[in-house]
Amino acid sequence: MRLRLQAIVLSLVALLVFGLGVPLALAVAGRVQQELFLDRLTDTSRFASVAQRPIVDNRLGELYDQLQRYSRTYDVPIAVVTQDRQLAAVATSSASGAFDRSDPAIASKIDAALAGKRPELNTALVPWDDSPLVLAEPILIDGEVRGAVVTVSATDKARSLLAGYWAVIAAGAVLAFSLALLVALPVVRWILRPVQRLDEATESLVAAVVSGRDVELVGAAGGPPELRKLESSFDRMAASVGEALDAQRAFVADASHQLRNPLTALKLRLGNLEGQVTPEADEEREAAVADADRLNQILDGLLSMARAEASAGELVVVDMDTSVADRVADWRVVAKAEGVRLETHGLGDGLSVLTPARGLEVVLDNLIGNALKFSGTGSVVDISVEDSETVVELAVRDHGPGLPPDELERAADRFWRSPAHQNVPGSGLGLAIVSEIAMLAGGGVRLELPDGGGLRVVVELPVKASDRGNT
């Protein structure tokens, strides 16, 4: 939008500059040409009057001396042509050159003068046209045309003078355009300043709302009235969105917490029915217990996500090596029971990352738990830490069945589960929680299908600034 507005403003300025400059240049050219024309016309008319008596008395010798002095003084070829188109007298100088009456431009002027027409300006004077100025004044005696006086004037000086005037006008136009450009750019920035604030606020709105931070309002501080009204509307919308998402988080957290008590009571009652029902009804009881366990997992996941969102904006510094080592040590007991080996790589660099409180523990628990869930007996789960240029990458790789390539993008969606894993216990919230925590920390998650099968989940977390400076 800025480029378009600047283009419009500069186009209008260019039209204004050229709209004033071109008429001014043409007016100057007309004035210079008019001065030359009137000066030569006066001389030509004077010689037409002087030639009347010599033509009547047939004393053209007297006229020749005057013509010769004029031609030598002004370097202008001048000639007297009789009524039958014969040269009665002609005078030239070494600088002006010869007089050629066969020249079409001169011949046409002579014909017009012998027809009784006065000289006229037919063409405009321009610096690049070196055509001479030809004037032919009829010699009238008792109302009868008896001949014509012809002058051929070079236009070099007039054209040089005009070129100088045009150069000054062009320089003035360029200067005016440059000044207009310097003025237009700040004006455009002032006009678009509210739009820029709206653009920045729009970019930060989603991140602020999702991360739980207060939405920064734009405020109608300046700019055109229409944009100030738009800013006020945006602030009201942002506030409404923030309030709606806060209410949503509060509802999820409260509902998850309140459902745990009746769910726990339900599981106890189902457990008390063991051995108290018929064998046929006991199968239904076991199915109900399994459904209650799955519902409990979903509630745990919702609570974890609600806690992660509630702690957004409160990033803490966490030692990567210590957190990974502690969580791997706790999960090794579970892995050993399932016949799976946990291996760590890349620890020992002493890096610290920024995450929500207990966010890194939740990430590790979900990733390691998922990896163990899909790993067979005798397989290995690799937990690695890599320091890239901008972030620290925490990766957990299993050697299970993995996912089809077309399902990788949906794997982090809430409650989504691959059709091939419907018989595997889970709530479909693990990767969604990991992705949420990574996003709240300013990082991200990507899923890879490594060679040899399985799934590799990479979590990117921002490194502590001081650590980055040391490395």
Side-chain angles (χ1 to χ4, degrees):
M1 183 175 179
R2 173 178 294 178
L3 294 178
R4 293 181 181 179
L5 189 56
Q6 288 178 351
I8 292 173
V9 172
L10 295 181
S11 298
L12 293 176
V13 172
L15 289 176
L16 179 62
V17 170
F18 287 108
L20 296 176
V22 172
L24 179 60
L26 294 178
V28 171
R31 183 175 63 82
V32 173
Q33 184 181 28
Q34 189 72 16
E35 290 178 355
L36 176 63
F37 174 78
L38 292 177
D39 181 67
R40 293 296 181 263
L41 180 61
T42 301
D43 295 339
T44 306
S45 299
R46 181 174 62 84
F47 279 107
S49 298
V50 171
Q52 292 177 357
R53 180 55 57 187
I55 288 178
V56 172
D57 296 341
N58 196 19
R59 291 180 298 165
L60 296 177
E62 299 176 359
L63 181 62
Y64 175 76
D65 293 337
Q66 297 184 48
L67 297 179
Q68 193 66 35
R69 285 194 301 269
Y70 176 79
S71 179
R72 289 177 179 176
T73 302
Y74 297 103
D75 292 329
V76 176
I78 185 170
V80 177
V81 181
T82 61
Q83 190 175 10
D84 56 358
R85 291 179 173 78
Q86 297 299 317
L87 284 176
V90 61
T92 61
S93 66
S94 57
S96 62
F99 181 86
D100 184 10
R101 63 176 179 174
S102 64
D103 187 327
I106 297 177
S108 62
K109 296 293 184 179
I110 293 175
D111 293 340
L114 294 177
K117 293 182 179 181
R118 297 295 304 276
E120 297 178 352
L121 280 175
N122 297 325
T123 58
L125 180 66
V126 290
W128 53 86
D129 187 2
D130 58 356
S131 302
L133 175 64
V134 180
L135 299 180
E137 180 75 16
I139 302 174
L140 299 175
I141 301 176
D142 297 331
E144 180 183 357
V145 178
R146 300 291 295 275
V149 176
V150 183
T151 58
V152 181
S153 305
T155 59
D156 296 346
K157 293 182 179 179
R159 288 187 292 108
S160 298
L161 181 62
L162 178 60
Y165 284 144
W166 281 15
V168 172
I169 293 174
V174 172
L175 179 61
F177 186 81
S178 301
L179 292 176
L181 178 63
L182 293 177
V183 173
L185 294 180
V187 171
V188 170
R189 283 196 295 267
W190 174 78
I191 293 175
L192 293 181
R193 191 175 301 156
V195 178
Q196 183 179 4
R197 289 200 301 267
L198 283 173
D199 181 61
E200 295 173 352
T202 303
E203 291 180 358
S204 62
L205 172 63
V206 176
V209 170
V210 172
S211 62
R213 300 191 303 268
D214 293 335
V215 178
E216 183 177 353
L217 302 181
V218 178
E226 295 81 4
L227 291 180
R228 291 201 300 269
K229 183 178 179 181
L230 180 60
E231 289 172 338
S232 300
S233 300
F234 179 87
D235 287 343
R236 290 194 297 271
M237 179 203 69
S240 298
V241 171
E243 292 173 359
L245 286 179
D246 288 341
Q248 176 185 336
R249 293 193 189 98
F251 172 77
V252 171
D254 293 342
S256 301
H257 180 75
Q258 294 299 324
L259 286 174
R260 290 178 66 88
N261 292 332
L263 181 60
T264 302
L266 176 61
K267 290 178 63 177
L268 290 174
R269 288 189 173 91
L270 290 174
N272 292 333
L273 290 177
E274 184 177 1
Q276 305 297 323
V277 296
T278 62
E280 294 79 6
D282 193 57
E283 295 181 1
E284 297 296 331
R285 185 194 63 81
E286 292 179 354
V289 172
D291 290 339
D293 290 337
R294 184 172 181 273
L295 183 57
N296 191 65
Q297 292 177 352
I298 293 175
L299 290 178
D300 288 340
L302 288 175
L303 279 174
S304 297
M305 183 167 292
R307 292 192 188 102
E309 292 178 346
S311 63
E314 303 173 3
L315 300 182
V316 296
V317 180
V318 179
D319 183 83
M320 177 67 76
D321 293 344
T322 302
S323 296
V324 172
D326 289 345
R327 299 317 302 152
V328 170
D330 291 342
W331 279 98
R332 273 205 171 99
V333 178
V334 180
K336 184 177 181 180
E338 298 182 4
V340 179
R341 189 170 72 256
L342 299 182
E343 294 185 357
T344 58
H345 309 276
L347 300 182
D349 291 338
L351 292 174
S352 298
V353 295
L354 298 173
T355 68
R358 297 190 68 256
L360 185 56
E361 298 178 7
V362 176
V363 168
L364 287 167
D365 287 343
N366 280 281
L367 294 184
I368 297 175
N370 279 346
L372 293 177
K373 190 185 305 180
F374 295 102
S375 297
T377 302
S379 63
V380 178
V381 173
D382 296 311
I383 301 99
S384 62
V385 177
E386 297 181 6
D387 181 14
S388 68
E389 294 182 357
T390 57
V391 295
V392 173
E393 295 184 350
L394 170 65
V396 177
R397 184 258 173 100
D398 62 61
H399 292 77
L403 290 172
D406 58 344
E407 294 182 358
L408 291 180
E409 293 184 359
R410 298 197 57 194
D413 292 348
R414 298 180 180 181
F415 301 107
W416 182 87
R417 305 189 69 200
S418 174
H421 302 157
Q422 295 300 321
N423 59 339
V424 179
S427 62
L429 284 173
L431 287 180
I433 295 173
V434 172
S435 179
E436 182 76 16
I437 293 175
M439 182 183 64
L440 295 176
V445 175
R446 71 175 186 272
L447 278 66
E448 301 174 351
L449 298 177
D451 296 336
L455 180 67
R456 186 170 185 262
V457 183
V458 181
V459 180
E460 299 176 347
L461 296 173
V463 69
K464 185 182 176 183
S466 59
D467 291 344
R468 177 61 65 205
N470 294 334
T471 56

